[in-house]
Amino acid sequence: MNLSTSPPRPRSPFAAPILRPVRKRRPVLVGAAYAWLALVIALAVLAPWLPIAGYSVPAGASRLSPGPGSVDLLLGTDSFGRSLLSRCIHGARVSLLVGTGAGLAGLAAGTVLGLLGGYLRGRVDRLISLITDALLAFPPLILLIALSAVLTPSIEVILIGLTLVTVPNFVRLSRAQAISWSSREFVRAARNMGAGSARIMTREVLPNLLPALGSFLPVVVAALIVAEGSLSFLGLGVPPPRPSWGGMINEGKSALATSPHLVLVPATVIFLTVFSLNQVGDHLRLRFDRTL
Amino acid sequence: MTVSILRRAGHSLLVVILVSVTAVGLLSLAPGSVATVILGENATPAAVAAMNTELGLDQPLWRQYGNWLGRALGGDLGTSPLTGQDVTQAILDRLPVTLELSLLALTLSVSLAVLLAVLSAAAPGIWLDRVINAVSSAFLAVPAFIAGPVLIYLFALKAGWFPVSGWAHIEDGLGANLRSALLPALAVSLTEIASFHRLLRTDLIGTLREDYVAAARAKGMPRGYVMFRHALRPSSFSLVTLAGISLGRLIGGTVVVEILFGLPGLGQLVSASITARDVITVQGVVVFVAVTYVVVNMLVDISYGFLDPRVRKAARA
């Protein structure tokens, strides 16, 4: 088996980064990813004003296969005859709201804590790291399940739970970045000119953290959408009749043998959305994260 | 070496304590009280008070924790107030299924990921690498609750190669056991394969540019030999970390497939307890899984020293 075509070259300090080839050939896929996300976001935001059937009323016979005809029957109907297209679009509202809401909250809290720990070091850093490690010690799904078990599932509970599992990841990233930026000359210069810690953190270090942390956001949102989907799949998500993508798969799985589209339609929508978010995230990270 | 292991263990112990405090404190989060959660909204105040006394919830939080810790250290995680079942026993009964599922999933993920990473790192940028990268990116977007139903549809309902649901114990024969475990394990593996592949591919490409690899090739060693004997081991450290983290995650993350495939594991226990509002059992499983996770991660960290001579030397110096 021919395992190699290129001869090994010694690495010079000026050699191209290892990931260069991957970086170059993505534009078409990344473009498609941006387009899909734009479509999903637009449909989700405009859902109440779109000329589609409501998500909780029958639009036709039950379990119709996808097919042309009317807009509402384009993706078929579920066991109650409700339009799958309408339910996917309204489900997008839940997924996107929960994903971006918890993602942004986690980003904000994680950035602040990581910045404090990474810049101040010492005791503050040790305390923050310990809490972070403890939070990371819970497998995320188990923590979410425990929360849903004790509290009644609702959008707020899910948002809080997902934020809780997101924060430690951002703390780690932000802390690592803060440590690396804090040792730079311009930070020392600011300190020598008499700037206080608070000013250096907000004016010198923080602006430099944001590109890397922000470009991490799409991947986190993708993970959160998956987490919300898993919760809904387990029946611990947003209470019905409000549709969510994971809940639709949960409802459809019993009819898998006869009407696979009940599962395949929402599964495809989640797949495309998560895939797109990952692509966009990789693209942004290669551009903005200087640790890569 | 010993010092660094002790320091690592001390840190893990702190984390375990924090985790258990959180899990015990979880009960006080319940709206109303745990007793009303267990007994339902319509319980009489007397019944609620009796339940609170029985569970020791009428005592201050620090004493609750002390009591709980004393019993937990003796291996007693409490008794379910609903079924009267011993929580530790319930966990031990379910553990083998979850453990087998996790280990099978991990074995599948690591072996497939190593194969894919070797193939794509051998010649980065050619068509094979691109195809593998595309497949890997796609896998990353297929969580278990999507992969599961699709795999059931394709391989159980259409092809009929595997059972749709149910668990065959090892006593019923290894073949039947593996047949019932393979689809669920595969369903949780896809995202793991993708992340393992990404990591190992990058590390391998880096290692293959090292001088000693060039030297080995210059001596005329076969490429496959250089890849597996010289490049793979030094490239695999991050993979070992990730695999350890992923084992911990899998033990808690097989909930979805256990429900979907009807497998009698820890996930099903948790899910059934949530439906029955059996908070004590949920608490027990959460503590058990979280502590396992911490311990596995600690062992992975320590195993670095044995895998990587550089770490071993640095620790000794």
Side-chain angles (χ1 to χ4, degrees):
Chain A
M1 183 168 52
N2 183 13
L3 279 172
S4 174
T5 53
S6 59
R9 262 177 245 112
R11 231 160 132 191
S12 96
F14 305 106
I18 293 163
L19 287 170
R20 198 41 134 351
V22 184
R23 199 183 302 189
K24 281 214 155 166
R25 59 168 172 66
R26 279 290 159 85
V28 181
L29 207 52
V30 173
Y34 275 110
W36 170 258
L37 291 180
L39 177 73
V40 172
I41 293 171
L43 288 176
V45 171
L46 298 174
W49 299 282
L50 290 175
I52 50 173
Y55 59 75
S56 55
V57 291
S62 79
R63 296 188 189 173
L64 284 177
S65 297
S70 81
V71 178
D72 288 326
L73 305 181
L74 199 62
L75 297 179
T77 58
D78 71 1
S79 305
F80 300 101
R82 300 175 296 195
S83 159
L84 280 184
L85 179 72
S86 164
R87 289 181 69 74
C88 278
I89 291 175
H90 283 276
R93 290 172 77 94
V94 173
S95 294
L96 292 181
L97 176 74
V98 167
T100 47
L104 285 173
L107 174 73
T111 308
V112 172
L113 290 173
L115 179 59
L116 285 173
Y119 180 79
L120 297 175
R121 308 303 300 265
R123 263 191 212 156
V124 182
D125 188 29
R126 278 203 294 277
L127 181 68
I128 291 175
S129 295
L130 187 66
I131 297 174
T132 309
D133 285 354
L135 271 177
L136 281 174
F138 283 103
L141 198 55
I142 289 289
L143 183 64
L144 292 172
I145 286 174
L147 275 181
S148 318
V150 179
L151 309 167
T152 326
S154 68
I155 287 230
E156 291 81 16
V157 170
I158 294 170
L159 265 175
I160 294 171
L162 288 177
T163 306
L164 219 51
V165 297
T166 316
V167 171
N169 296 304
F170 277 116
V171 172
R172 288 223 162 153
L173 193 64
S174 157
R175 178 176 174 274
Q177 294 265 334
I179 289 176
S180 122
W181 285 103
S182 300
S183 62
R184 293 283 291 265
E185 292 79 4
F186 65 86
V187 173
R188 209 179 308 150
R191 200 176 298 139
N192 290 345
M193 282 190 284
S197 291
R199 188 188 161 91
I200 294 178
M201 277 193 274
T202 49
R203 302 290 287 269
E204 309 288 341
V205 183
L206 181 64
N208 286 306
L209 302 183
L210 290 179
L213 290 166
S215 55
F216 191 55
L217 190 62
V219 184
V220 169
V221 172
L224 288 172
I225 288 180
V226 167
E228 189 275 330
S230 308
L231 275 185
S232 299
F233 178 82
L234 295 172
L236 295 170
V238 189
R242 209 158 168 193
S244 74
W245 293 341
M248 290 170 71
I249 297 185
N250 184 26
E251 289 158 18
K253 69 174 194 263
S254 51
L256 199 57
T258 48
S259 317
H261 73 278
L262 294 190
V263 166
L264 296 183
V265 166
T268 311
V269 173
I270 297 182
F271 170 74
L272 289 175
T273 308
V274 172
F275 184 77
S276 302
L277 281 167
N278 285 341
Q279 292 296 319
V280 168
D282 286 353
H283 181 67
L284 291 179
R285 246 156 68 203
L286 286 173
R287 275 183 61 182
F288 291 115
D289 189 348
R290 73 182 196 117
T291 54
L292 277 179
Chain B
M1 189 81 189
T2 322
V3 173
S4 68
I5 289 179
L6 281 179
R7 190 176 301 144
R8 188 68 186 76
H11 184 80
S12 302
L13 187 67
L14 264 179
V15 172
V16 166
I17 292 174
L18 263 181
V19 163
S20 61
V21 170
T22 315
V24 174
L26 198 67
L27 297 190
S28 55
L29 269 181
S33 74
V34 177
T36 38
V37 169
I38 293 171
L39 296 169
E41 297 289 330
N42 300 325
T44 60
V48 169
M51 176 66 86
N52 273 333
T53 316
E54 190 193 324
L55 297 175
L57 292 174
D58 49 355
Q59 292 172 8
L61 205 58
W62 61 269
R63 181 168 298 184
Q64 278 181 43
Y65 181 72
N67 291 341
W68 179 88
L69 189 67
R71 281 184 287 119
L73 287 178
D76 176 13
L77 290 172
T79 308
S80 159
L82 289 175
T83 56
Q85 199 186 11
D86 184 52
V87 174
T88 313
Q89 194 53 48
I91 291 176
L92 290 179
D93 287 346
R94 308 297 190 107
L95 187 61
V97 175
T98 301
L99 210 54
E100 184 188 336
L101 211 53
S102 310
L103 288 175
L104 185 63
L106 195 66
T107 315
L108 271 178
S109 318
V110 170
S111 42
L112 283 173
V114 167
L115 183 72
L116 291 177
V118 164
L119 287 176
S120 58
I126 67 159
W127 66 271
L128 182 63
D129 180 38
R130 292 187 189 196
V131 171
I132 293 176
N133 281 336
V135 171
S136 165
S137 303
F139 277 3
L140 204 57
V142 186
F145 70 94
I146 291 183
V150 172
L151 287 174
I152 291 184
Y153 180 65
L154 291 178
F155 298 110
L157 289 170
K158 285 281 154 185
W161 296 338
F162 297 96
V164 175
S165 70
W167 179 258
H169 287 276
I170 290 207
E171 301 91 73
D172 308 337
L174 190 63
N177 174 253
L178 284 180
R179 246 164 61 103
S180 70
L182 193 65
L183 278 192
L186 195 59
V188 288
S189 294
L190 295 184
T191 48
E192 309 291 331
I193 293 174
S195 48
F196 292 176
H197 162 256
R198 281 188 156 200
L199 192 72
L200 186 58
R201 175 182 178 275
T202 316
D203 288 352
L204 264 179
I205 292 176
T207 311
L208 288 173
R209 294 187 186 180
E210 295 281 345
D211 290 342
Y212 74 88
V213 172
R217 279 192 187 156
K219 281 195 288 184
M221 287 181 167
R223 282 180 171 135
Y225 186 85
V226 172
M227 175 67 91
F228 282 99
R229 299 306 295 264
H230 291 218
L232 197 54
R233 187 167 123 164
S235 310
S236 61
F237 301 127
S238 345
L239 182 69
V240 171
T241 322
L242 191 62
I245 294 174
S246 137
L247 177 64
R249 196 173 48 209
L250 282 172
I251 291 175
T254 53
V255 189
V256 167
V257 290
E258 283 177 20
I259 305 295
L260 181 62
F261 287 85
L263 312 177
L266 280 182
Q268 211 183 46
L269 178 66
V270 155
S271 171
S273 312
I274 290 176
T275 317
R277 319 209 112 215
D278 180 353
V279 196
I280 304 299
T281 307
V282 175
Q283 182 194 37
V285 179
V286 168
V287 170
F288 177 80
V289 171
V291 170
T292 312
Y293 191 60
V294 175
V295 171
V296 168
N297 284 345
M298 184 184 77
L299 292 180
V300 169
D301 266 11
I302 293 174
S303 75
Y304 262 173
F306 297 98
L307 260 179
D308 189 344
R310 287 168 298 188
V311 174
R312 203 156 53 210
K313 285 236 177 72
R316 201 177 291 150

